[in-house]
PDB file of all heavy atoms in Angstrom:
ATOM      1  N   PRO M 149     -65.206-135.669  -5.587  1.00 96.00           N
ATOM      2  CA  PRO M 149     -65.159-136.027  -4.173  1.00 96.00           C
ATOM      3  C   PRO M 149     -64.306-137.110  -3.796  1.00 96.00           C
ATOM      4  O   PRO M 149     -63.964-137.984  -4.655  1.00 96.00           O
ATOM      5  CB  PRO M 149     -66.662-136.458  -4.046  1.00 96.00           C
ATOM      6  CG  PRO M 149     -67.396-135.946  -5.226  1.00 96.00           C
ATOM      7  CD  PRO M 149     -66.426-135.820  -6.374  1.00 96.00           C
ATOM      8  N   ASP M 150     -63.920-137.234  -2.545  1.00 95.00           N
ATOM      9  CA  ASP M 150     -63.264-138.333  -1.971  1.00 95.00           C
ATOM     10  C   ASP M 150     -63.652-138.461  -0.473  1.00 95.00           C
ATOM     11  O   ASP M 150     -64.671-137.964  -0.179  1.00 95.00           O
ATOM     12  CB  ASP M 150     -61.696-138.233  -2.200  1.00 95.00           C
ATOM     13  CG  ASP M 150     -60.891-139.439  -2.015  1.00 95.00           C
ATOM     14  OD1 ASP M 150     -60.946-140.336  -2.910  1.00 95.00           O
ATOM     15  OD2 ASP M 150     -60.313-139.684  -0.871  1.00 95.00           O
ATOM     16  N   LEU M 151     -62.761-138.990   0.292  1.00 94.00           N
ATOM     17  CA  LEU M 151     -63.069-139.120   1.769  1.00 94.00           C
ATOM     18  C   LEU M 151     -63.608-137.799   2.276  1.00 94.00           C
ATOM     19  O   LEU M 151     -62.797-136.773   2.243  1.00 94.00           O
ATOM     20  CB  LEU M 151     -61.834-139.476   2.561  1.00 94.00           C
ATOM     21  CG  LEU M 151     -61.535-140.910   2.749  1.00 94.00           C
ATOM     22  CD1 LEU M 151     -60.197-140.943   3.543  1.00 94.00           C
ATOM     23  CD2 LEU M 151     -62.640-141.619   3.455  1.00 94.00           C
ATOM     24  N   ASN M 152     -64.759-137.722   2.877  1.00 96.00           N
ATOM     25  CA  ASN M 152     -65.358-136.555   3.556  1.00 96.00           C
ATOM     26  C   ASN M 152     -65.616-135.368   2.681  1.00 96.00           C
ATOM     27  O   ASN M 152     -65.756-134.261   3.209  1.00 96.00           O
ATOM     28  CB  ASN M 152     -64.382-136.066   4.768  1.00 96.00           C
ATOM     29  CG  ASN M 152     -64.366-137.198   5.921  1.00 96.00           C
ATOM     30  OD1 ASN M 152     -65.372-137.944   6.096  1.00 96.00           O
ATOM     31  ND2 ASN M 152     -63.212-137.350   6.469  1.00 96.00           N
ATOM     32  N   THR M 153     -65.669-135.619   1.398  1.00 97.00           N
ATOM     33  CA  THR M 153     -66.033-134.530   0.536  1.00 97.00           C
ATOM     34  C   THR M 153     -67.257-135.087  -0.370  1.00 97.00           C
ATOM     35  O   THR M 153     -67.217-136.384  -0.704  1.00 97.00           O
ATOM     36  CB  THR M 153     -65.026-133.937  -0.288  1.00 97.00           C
ATOM     37  OG1 THR M 153     -64.356-135.027  -1.141  1.00 97.00           O
ATOM     38  CG2 THR M 153     -63.927-133.312   0.451  1.00 97.00           C
ATOM     39  N   GLY M 154     -68.113-134.266  -0.834  1.00 96.00           N
ATOM     40  CA  GLY M 154     -69.200-134.723  -1.657  1.00 96.00           C
ATOM     41  C   GLY M 154     -69.774-133.527  -2.405  1.00 96.00           C
ATOM     42  O   GLY M 154     -69.010-132.457  -2.609  1.00 96.00           O
ATOM     43  N   PRO M 155     -71.022-133.739  -3.013  1.00 97.00           N
ATOM     44  CA  PRO M 155     -71.586-132.607  -3.866  1.00 97.00           C
ATOM     45  C   PRO M 155     -71.576-131.301  -3.236  1.00 97.00           C
ATOM     46  O   PRO M 155     -71.337-130.217  -3.913  1.00 97.00           O
ATOM     47  CB  PRO M 155     -73.020-133.133  -3.997  1.00 97.00           C
ATOM     48  CG  PRO M 155     -72.905-134.551  -3.827  1.00 97.00           C
ATOM     49  CD  PRO M 155     -71.934-134.807  -2.731  1.00 97.00           C
ATOM     50  N   GLY M 179     -68.799-134.564  -9.690  1.00 97.00           N
ATOM     51  CA  GLY M 179     -69.424-134.973  -8.531  1.00 97.00           C
ATOM     52  C   GLY M 179     -70.298-133.812  -7.912  1.00 97.00           C
ATOM     53  O   GLY M 179     -70.478-133.674  -6.670  1.00 97.00           O
ATOM     54  N   GLY M 189     -76.648-140.631 -11.217  1.00 97.00           N
ATOM     55  CA  GLY M 189     -75.884-141.852 -11.064  1.00 97.00           C
ATOM     56  C   GLY M 189     -74.443-141.663 -10.452  1.00 97.00           C
ATOM     57  O   GLY M 189     -73.806-142.603 -10.202  1.00 97.00           O
ATOM     58  N   ARG M 190     -73.956-140.316 -10.417  1.00 96.00           N
ATOM     59  CA  ARG M 190     -72.507-140.185  -9.974  1.00 96.00           C
ATOM     60  C   ARG M 190     -72.403-140.584  -8.518  1.00 96.00           C
ATOM     61  O   ARG M 190     -71.410-141.232  -8.184  1.00 96.00           O
ATOM     62  CB  ARG M 190     -72.138-138.651 -10.181  1.00 96.00           C
ATOM     63  CG  ARG M 190     -70.746-138.386  -9.588  1.00 96.00           C
ATOM     64  CD  ARG M 190     -69.701-139.180 -10.193  1.00 96.00           C
ATOM     65  NE  ARG M 190     -68.286-138.929  -9.555  1.00 96.00           N
ATOM     66  CZ  ARG M 190     -67.830-139.678  -8.546  1.00 96.00           C
ATOM     67  NH1 ARG M 190     -68.570-140.615  -7.865  1.00 96.00           N
ATOM     68  NH2 ARG M 190     -66.600-139.448  -8.105  1.00 96.00           N
ATOM     69  N   ALA M 191     -73.472-140.216  -7.647  1.00 95.00           N
ATOM     70  CA  ALA M 191     -73.263-140.440  -6.202  1.00 95.00           C
ATOM     71  C   ALA M 191     -73.099-141.964  -5.924  1.00 95.00           C
ATOM     72  O   ALA M 191     -72.308-142.329  -5.129  1.00 95.00           O
ATOM     73  CB  ALA M 191     -74.430-139.906  -5.464  1.00 95.00           C
ATOM     74  N   GLU M 192     -73.736-142.805  -6.738  1.00 97.00           N
ATOM     75  CA  GLU M 192     -73.647-144.264  -6.557  1.00 97.00           C
ATOM     76  C   GLU M 192     -72.660-145.009  -7.313  1.00 97.00           C
ATOM     77  O   GLU M 192     -72.425-146.128  -7.172  1.00 97.00           O
ATOM     78  CB  GLU M 192     -75.028-144.916  -6.748  1.00 97.00           C
ATOM     79  CG  GLU M 192     -76.234-144.323  -6.004  1.00 97.00           C
ATOM     80  CD  GLU M 192     -76.770-143.224  -6.757  1.00 97.00           C
ATOM     81  OE1 GLU M 192     -76.625-142.960  -7.913  1.00 97.00           O
ATOM     82  OE2 GLU M 192     -77.287-142.332  -6.000  1.00 97.00           O
ATOM     83  N   ALA M 193     -71.910-144.098  -8.163  1.00 97.00           N
ATOM     84  CA  ALA M 193     -71.133-144.823  -9.272  1.00 97.00           C
ATOM     85  C   ALA M 193     -70.008-145.711  -8.754  1.00 97.00           C
ATOM     86  O   ALA M 193     -69.815-146.781  -9.297  1.00 97.00           O
ATOM     87  CB  ALA M 193     -70.551-143.787 -10.230  1.00 97.00           C
ATOM     88  N   THR M 194     -69.344-145.232  -7.656  1.00 97.00           N
ATOM     89  CA  THR M 194     -68.125-145.938  -7.181  1.00 97.00           C
ATOM     90  C   THR M 194     -68.681-147.271  -6.606  1.00 97.00           C
ATOM     91  O   THR M 194     -68.051-148.330  -6.859  1.00 97.00           O
ATOM     92  CB  THR M 194     -67.351-145.138  -6.213  1.00 97.00           C
ATOM     93  OG1 THR M 194     -67.047-143.917  -6.849  1.00 97.00           O
ATOM     94  CG2 THR M 194     -66.011-145.927  -5.814  1.00 97.00           C
ATOM     95  N   GLY M 195     -69.638-147.203  -5.803  1.00 98.00           N
ATOM     96  CA  GLY M 195     -70.141-148.481  -5.144  1.00 98.00           C
ATOM     97  C   GLY M 195     -70.853-149.344  -6.228  1.00 98.00           C
ATOM     98  O   GLY M 195     -70.616-150.668  -6.119  1.00 98.00           O
ATOM     99  N   ARG M 196     -71.401-148.825  -7.268  1.00 98.00           N
ATOM    100  CA  ARG M 196     -71.989-149.529  -8.314  1.00 98.00           C
ATOM    101  C   ARG M 196     -70.883-150.346  -9.024  1.00 98.00           C
ATOM    102  O   ARG M 196     -70.932-151.556  -9.444  1.00 98.00           O
ATOM    103  CB  ARG M 196     -72.820-148.723  -9.249  1.00 98.00           C
ATOM    104  CG  ARG M 196     -73.620-149.465 -10.289  1.00 98.00           C
ATOM    105  CD  ARG M 196     -74.426-148.434 -11.100  1.00 98.00           C
ATOM    106  NE  ARG M 196     -75.567-147.925 -10.319  1.00 98.00           N
ATOM    107  CZ  ARG M 196     -76.689-148.493 -10.059  1.00 98.00           C
ATOM    108  NH1 ARG M 196     -76.929-149.768 -10.555  1.00 98.00           N
ATOM    109  NH2 ARG M 196     -77.672-148.059  -9.306  1.00 98.00           N
ATOM    110  N   GLY M 197     -69.789-149.624  -9.359  1.00 98.00           N
ATOM    111  CA  GLY M 197     -68.636-150.290  -9.960  1.00 98.00           C
ATOM    112  C   GLY M 197     -68.009-151.391  -9.111  1.00 98.00           C
ATOM    113  O   GLY M 197     -67.614-152.455  -9.655  1.00 98.00           O
ATOM    114  N   VAL M 198     -68.031-151.181  -7.901  1.00 98.00           N
ATOM    115  CA  VAL M 198     -67.470-152.213  -6.890  1.00 98.00           C
ATOM    116  C   VAL M 198     -68.278-153.504  -6.964  1.00 98.00           C
ATOM    117  O   VAL M 198     -67.738-154.644  -7.088  1.00 98.00           O
ATOM    118  CB  VAL M 198     -67.456-151.597  -5.508  1.00 98.00           C
ATOM    119  CG1 VAL M 198     -67.256-152.745  -4.413  1.00 98.00           C
ATOM    120  CG2 VAL M 198     -66.481-150.546  -5.257  1.00 98.00           C
ATOM    121  N   VAL M 199     -69.591-153.293  -6.944  1.00 98.00           N
ATOM    122  CA  VAL M 199     -70.416-154.542  -6.936  1.00 98.00           C
ATOM    123  C   VAL M 199     -70.384-155.220  -8.351  1.00 98.00           C
ATOM    124  O   VAL M 199     -70.478-156.378  -8.554  1.00 98.00           O
ATOM    125  CB  VAL M 199     -71.865-154.205  -6.479  1.00 98.00           C
ATOM    126  CG1 VAL M 199     -72.820-155.360  -6.755  1.00 98.00           C
ATOM    127  CG2 VAL M 199     -71.838-153.747  -5.086  1.00 98.00           C
ATOM    128  N   ILE M 220     -68.049-155.629   4.950  1.00 98.00           N
ATOM    129  CA  ILE M 220     -67.611-154.232   4.274  1.00 98.00           C
ATOM    130  C   ILE M 220     -67.108-153.400   5.390  1.00 98.00           C
ATOM    131  O   ILE M 220     -67.849-153.070   6.304  1.00 98.00           O
ATOM    132  CB  ILE M 220     -68.910-153.584   3.554  1.00 98.00           C
ATOM    133  CG1 ILE M 220     -69.373-154.648   2.491  1.00 98.00           C
ATOM    134  CG2 ILE M 220     -68.361-152.266   2.858  1.00 98.00           C
ATOM    135  CD1 ILE M 220     -70.539-154.069   1.701  1.00 98.00           C
ATOM    136  N   GLN M 221     -65.951-152.936   5.298  1.00 98.00           N
ATOM    137  CA  GLN M 221     -65.349-151.933   6.230  1.00 98.00           C
ATOM    138  C   GLN M 221     -65.613-150.549   5.547  1.00 98.00           C
ATOM    139  O   GLN M 221     -65.047-150.288   4.573  1.00 98.00           O
ATOM    140  CB  GLN M 221     -63.897-152.134   6.378  1.00 98.00           C
ATOM    141  CG  GLN M 221     -63.258-151.280   7.398  1.00 98.00           C
ATOM    142  CD  GLN M 221     -61.641-151.092   7.231  1.00 98.00           C
ATOM    143  OE1 GLN M 221     -61.206-151.149   6.153  1.00 98.00           O
ATOM    144  NE2 GLN M 221     -61.080-151.027   8.442  1.00 98.00           N
ATOM    145  N   GLY M 222     -66.298-149.709   6.277  1.00 97.00           N
ATOM    146  CA  GLY M 222     -66.596-148.346   5.754  1.00 97.00           C
ATOM    147  C   GLY M 222     -67.996-148.388   5.252  1.00 97.00           C
ATOM    148  O   GLY M 222     -68.423-149.230   4.491  1.00 97.00           O
ATOM    149  N   PHE M 223     -68.714-147.314   5.733  1.00 98.00           N
ATOM    150  CA  PHE M 223     -70.222-147.231   5.395  1.00 98.00           C
ATOM    151  C   PHE M 223     -70.479-145.905   4.812  1.00 98.00           C
ATOM    152  O   PHE M 223     -71.610-145.335   5.146  1.00 98.00           O
ATOM    153  CB  PHE M 223     -71.025-147.612   6.602  1.00 98.00           C
ATOM    154  CG  PHE M 223     -72.442-148.234   6.303  1.00 98.00           C
ATOM    155  CD1 PHE M 223     -72.599-149.534   5.606  1.00 98.00           C
ATOM    156  CD2 PHE M 223     -73.546-147.518   6.631  1.00 98.00           C
ATOM    157  CE1 PHE M 223     -73.861-149.834   5.243  1.00 98.00           C
ATOM    158  CE2 PHE M 223     -74.818-148.023   6.288  1.00 98.00           C
ATOM    159  CZ  PHE M 223     -74.926-149.251   5.580  1.00 98.00           C
ATOM    160  N   GLY M 224     -69.629-145.283   4.148  1.00 96.00           N
ATOM    161  CA  GLY M 224     -69.805-144.000   3.540  1.00 96.00           C
ATOM    162  C   GLY M 224     -70.373-144.039   2.132  1.00 96.00           C
ATOM    163  O   GLY M 224     -71.164-145.010   1.835  1.00 96.00           O
ATOM    164  N   ASN M 225     -69.994-143.145   1.314  1.00 95.00           N
ATOM    165  CA  ASN M 225     -70.484-143.100  -0.096  1.00 95.00           C
ATOM    166  C   ASN M 225     -70.220-144.475  -0.721  1.00 95.00           C
ATOM    167  O   ASN M 225     -71.117-145.004  -1.341  1.00 95.00           O
ATOM    168  CB  ASN M 225     -69.740-141.940  -0.780  1.00 95.00           C
ATOM    169  CG  ASN M 225     -70.140-141.847  -2.331  1.00 95.00           C
ATOM    170  OD1 ASN M 225     -69.606-142.760  -3.032  1.00 95.00           O
ATOM    171  ND2 ASN M 225     -70.948-141.021  -2.609  1.00 95.00           N
ATOM    172  N   VAL M 226     -69.029-144.879  -0.685  1.00 97.00           N
ATOM    173  CA  VAL M 226     -68.657-146.188  -1.343  1.00 97.00           C
ATOM    174  C   VAL M 226     -69.180-147.408  -0.758  1.00 97.00           C
ATOM    175  O   VAL M 226     -69.889-148.226  -1.289  1.00 97.00           O
ATOM    176  CB  VAL M 226     -67.124-146.222  -1.606  1.00 97.00           C
ATOM    177  CG1 VAL M 226     -66.798-147.500  -2.409  1.00 97.00           C
ATOM    178  CG2 VAL M 226     -66.637-144.954  -2.327  1.00 97.00           C
ATOM    179  N   GLY M 227     -68.778-147.517   0.586  1.00 98.00           N
ATOM    180  CA  GLY M 227     -69.203-148.761   1.315  1.00 98.00           C
ATOM    181  C   GLY M 227     -70.664-148.861   1.480  1.00 98.00           C
ATOM    182  O   GLY M 227     -71.219-149.961   1.331  1.00 98.00           O
ATOM    183  N   GLY M 228     -71.324-147.746   1.691  1.00 98.00           N
ATOM    184  CA  GLY M 228     -72.815-147.732   1.924  1.00 98.00           C
ATOM    185  C   GLY M 228     -73.556-148.213   0.653  1.00 98.00           C
ATOM    186  O   GLY M 228     -74.405-149.102   0.728  1.00 98.00           O
ATOM    187  N   THR M 229     -73.090-147.669  -0.535  1.00 98.00           N
ATOM    188  CA  THR M 229     -73.785-147.974  -1.717  1.00 98.00           C
ATOM    189  C   THR M 229     -73.440-149.419  -2.159  1.00 98.00           C
ATOM    190  O   THR M 229     -74.276-150.162  -2.611  1.00 98.00           O
ATOM    191  CB  THR M 229     -73.251-147.049  -2.941  1.00 98.00           C
ATOM    192  OG1 THR M 229     -73.416-145.717  -2.441  1.00 98.00           O
ATOM    193  CG2 THR M 229     -73.938-147.305  -4.161  1.00 98.00           C
ATOM    194  N   ALA M 230     -72.216-149.805  -1.882  1.00 98.00           N
ATOM    195  CA  ALA M 230     -71.787-151.212  -2.245  1.00 98.00           C
ATOM    196  C   ALA M 230     -72.610-152.162  -1.380  1.00 98.00           C
ATOM    197  O   ALA M 230     -73.061-153.242  -1.973  1.00 98.00           O
ATOM    198  CB  ALA M 230     -70.316-151.419  -1.984  1.00 98.00           C
ATOM    199  N   ALA M 231     -72.843-151.914  -0.032  1.00 98.00           N
ATOM    200  CA  ALA M 231     -73.617-152.772   0.761  1.00 98.00           C
ATOM    201  C   ALA M 231     -75.099-152.882   0.143  1.00 98.00           C
ATOM    202  O   ALA M 231     -75.608-153.918   0.190  1.00 98.00           O
ATOM    203  CB  ALA M 231     -73.708-152.193   2.172  1.00 98.00           C
ATOM    204  N   HIS M 232     -75.563-151.610  -0.190  1.00 98.00           N
ATOM    205  CA  HIS M 232     -76.990-151.570  -0.666  1.00 98.00           C
ATOM    206  C   HIS M 232     -77.149-152.545  -2.012  1.00 98.00           C
ATOM    207  O   HIS M 232     -78.084-153.326  -2.001  1.00 98.00           O
ATOM    208  CB  HIS M 232     -77.419-150.224  -0.957  1.00 98.00           C
ATOM    209  CG  HIS M 232     -78.882-150.068  -1.096  1.00 98.00           C
ATOM    210  ND1 HIS M 232     -79.413-149.041  -1.865  1.00 98.00           N
ATOM    211  CD2 HIS M 232     -79.913-150.810  -0.596  1.00 98.00           C
ATOM    212  CE1 HIS M 232     -80.775-149.148  -1.857  1.00 98.00           C
ATOM    213  NE2 HIS M 232     -81.094-150.209  -1.162  1.00 98.00           N
ATOM    214  N   LEU M 233     -76.209-152.261  -2.899  1.00 98.00           N
ATOM    215  CA  LEU M 233     -76.347-152.971  -4.206  1.00 98.00           C
ATOM    216  C   LEU M 233     -76.017-154.420  -4.086  1.00 98.00           C
ATOM    217  O   LEU M 233     -76.587-155.331  -4.731  1.00 98.00           O
ATOM    218  CB  LEU M 233     -75.404-152.364  -5.299  1.00 98.00           C
ATOM    219  CG  LEU M 233     -75.883-150.914  -5.625  1.00 98.00           C
ATOM    220  CD1 LEU M 233     -74.890-150.201  -6.580  1.00 98.00           C
ATOM    221  CD2 LEU M 233     -77.213-150.952  -6.221  1.00 98.00           C
ATOM    222  N   SER M 245     -68.966-151.874   8.967  1.00 97.00           N
ATOM    223  CA  SER M 245     -68.489-150.977  10.037  1.00 97.00           C
ATOM    224  C   SER M 245     -68.256-149.646   9.517  1.00 97.00           C
ATOM    225  O   SER M 245     -68.230-149.389   8.231  1.00 97.00           O
ATOM    226  CB  SER M 245     -67.171-151.544  10.452  1.00 97.00           C
ATOM    227  OG  SER M 245     -66.209-151.335   9.537  1.00 97.00           O
ATOM    228  N   ASP M 246     -68.201-148.573  10.480  1.00 96.00           N
ATOM    229  CA  ASP M 246     -67.796-147.279  10.062  1.00 96.00           C
ATOM    230  C   ASP M 246     -66.701-146.932  11.174  1.00 96.00           C
ATOM    231  O   ASP M 246     -66.231-147.774  11.878  1.00 96.00           O
ATOM    232  CB  ASP M 246     -68.882-146.229   9.953  1.00 96.00           C
ATOM    233  CG  ASP M 246     -69.625-146.003  11.235  1.00 96.00           C
ATOM    234  OD1 ASP M 246     -69.118-146.340  12.373  1.00 96.00           O
ATOM    235  OD2 ASP M 246     -70.745-145.524  11.212  1.00 96.00           O
ATOM    236  N   LEU M 263     -78.807-148.034   6.385  1.00 98.00           N
ATOM    237  CA  LEU M 263     -78.495-146.787   5.533  1.00 98.00           C
ATOM    238  C   LEU M 263     -79.375-145.619   6.027  1.00 98.00           C
ATOM    239  O   LEU M 263     -78.906-144.589   6.197  1.00 98.00           O
ATOM    240  CB  LEU M 263     -78.872-147.105   4.100  1.00 98.00           C
ATOM    241  CG  LEU M 263     -77.820-147.921   3.334  1.00 98.00           C
ATOM    242  CD1 LEU M 263     -78.466-148.402   1.927  1.00 98.00           C
ATOM    243  CD2 LEU M 263     -76.505-147.107   3.046  1.00 98.00           C
ATOM    244  N   SER M 266     -77.915-144.563   9.356  1.00 98.00           N
ATOM    245  CA  SER M 266     -76.774-143.773   9.277  1.00 98.00           C
ATOM    246  C   SER M 266     -76.954-142.381   8.704  1.00 98.00           C
ATOM    247  O   SER M 266     -76.348-141.401   9.125  1.00 98.00           O
ATOM    248  CB  SER M 266     -75.754-144.651   8.323  1.00 98.00           C
ATOM    249  OG  SER M 266     -74.677-143.942   8.176  1.00 98.00           O
ATOM    250  N   GLN M 267     -77.917-142.276   7.760  1.00 97.00           N
ATOM    251  CA  GLN M 267     -78.206-141.016   7.187  1.00 97.00           C
ATOM    252  C   GLN M 267     -78.822-140.128   8.203  1.00 97.00           C
ATOM    253  O   GLN M 267     -78.430-138.923   8.353  1.00 97.00           O
ATOM    254  CB  GLN M 267     -79.150-141.165   5.977  1.00 97.00           C
ATOM    255  CG  GLN M 267     -78.502-141.224   4.580  1.00 97.00           C
ATOM    256  CD  GLN M 267     -79.246-142.099   3.635  1.00 97.00           C
ATOM    257  OE1 GLN M 267     -80.415-142.229   3.729  1.00 97.00           O
ATOM    258  NE2 GLN M 267     -78.402-142.562   2.638  1.00 97.00           N
ATOM    259  N   ALA M 297     -63.556-150.532   2.386  1.00 98.00           N
ATOM    260  CA  ALA M 297     -64.130-149.375   1.739  1.00 98.00           C
ATOM    261  C   ALA M 297     -63.989-148.074   2.584  1.00 98.00           C
ATOM    262  O   ALA M 297     -64.770-147.198   2.614  1.00 98.00           O
ATOM    263  CB  ALA M 297     -65.575-149.455   1.311  1.00 98.00           C
ATOM    264  N   ALA M 298     -62.842-148.095   3.361  1.00 96.00           N
ATOM    265  CA  ALA M 298     -62.643-146.951   4.203  1.00 96.00           C
ATOM    266  C   ALA M 298     -61.296-146.213   3.950  1.00 96.00           C
ATOM    267  O   ALA M 298     -61.337-145.177   3.168  1.00 96.00           O
ATOM    268  CB  ALA M 298     -62.646-147.318   5.633  1.00 96.00           C
ATOM    269  N   ALA M 319     -62.442-151.631  -2.542  1.00 98.00           N
ATOM    270  CA  ALA M 319     -63.280-150.413  -2.859  1.00 98.00           C
ATOM    271  C   ALA M 319     -62.435-149.135  -2.421  1.00 98.00           C
ATOM    272  O   ALA M 319     -62.560-148.097  -3.012  1.00 98.00           O
ATOM    273  CB  ALA M 319     -64.603-150.483  -2.095  1.00 98.00           C
ATOM    274  N   ASN M 346     -62.579-149.672  -7.857  1.00 98.00           N
ATOM    275  CA  ASN M 346     -63.356-148.463  -7.567  1.00 98.00           C
ATOM    276  C   ASN M 346     -63.342-147.478  -8.669  1.00 98.00           C
ATOM    277  O   ASN M 346     -63.612-146.277  -8.527  1.00 98.00           O
ATOM    278  CB  ASN M 346     -62.884-147.804  -6.206  1.00 98.00           C
ATOM    279  CG  ASN M 346     -61.383-147.291  -6.277  1.00 98.00           C
ATOM    280  OD1 ASN M 346     -60.945-146.869  -7.421  1.00 98.00           O
ATOM    281  ND2 ASN M 346     -60.747-147.361  -5.237  1.00 98.00           N
ATOM    282  N   GLY M 348     -65.442-147.027 -11.025  1.00 98.00           N
ATOM    283  CA  GLY M 348     -66.690-146.554 -11.372  1.00 98.00           C
ATOM    284  C   GLY M 348     -66.869-145.043 -11.099  1.00 98.00           C
ATOM    285  O   GLY M 348     -67.590-144.419 -11.834  1.00 98.00           O
ATOM    286  N   GLY M 349     -66.326-144.542 -10.075  1.00 97.00           N
ATOM    287  CA  GLY M 349     -66.465-143.182  -9.659  1.00 97.00           C
ATOM    288  C   GLY M 349     -65.785-142.304 -10.754  1.00 97.00           C
ATOM    289  O   GLY M 349     -66.578-141.238 -11.223  1.00 97.00           O
ATOM    290  N   VAL M 350     -64.571-142.593 -11.107  1.00 97.00           N
ATOM    291  CA  VAL M 350     -63.967-141.591 -12.230  1.00 97.00           C
ATOM    292  C   VAL M 350     -64.600-141.933 -13.575  1.00 97.00           C
ATOM    293  O   VAL M 350     -64.764-140.939 -14.300  1.00 97.00           O
ATOM    294  CB  VAL M 350     -62.481-141.727 -12.136  1.00 97.00           C
ATOM    295  CG1 VAL M 350     -61.995-143.062 -12.848  1.00 97.00           C
ATOM    296  CG2 VAL M 350     -61.871-140.592 -12.903  1.00 97.00           C
TER     297      VAL M 350
END
Side-chain angles (χ1 to χ4, degrees):
D150 195 78
L151 268 182
N152 296 323
T153 58
R190 172 60 183 91
E192 305 80 28
T194 309
R196 188 173 289 281
V198 167
V199 174
I220 303 179
Q221 183 199 34
F223 204 65
N225 175 286
V226 181
T229 306
H232 193 209
L233 295 175
S245 66
D246 64 17
L263 285 167
S266 177
Q267 267 149 22
N346 68 32
V350 73

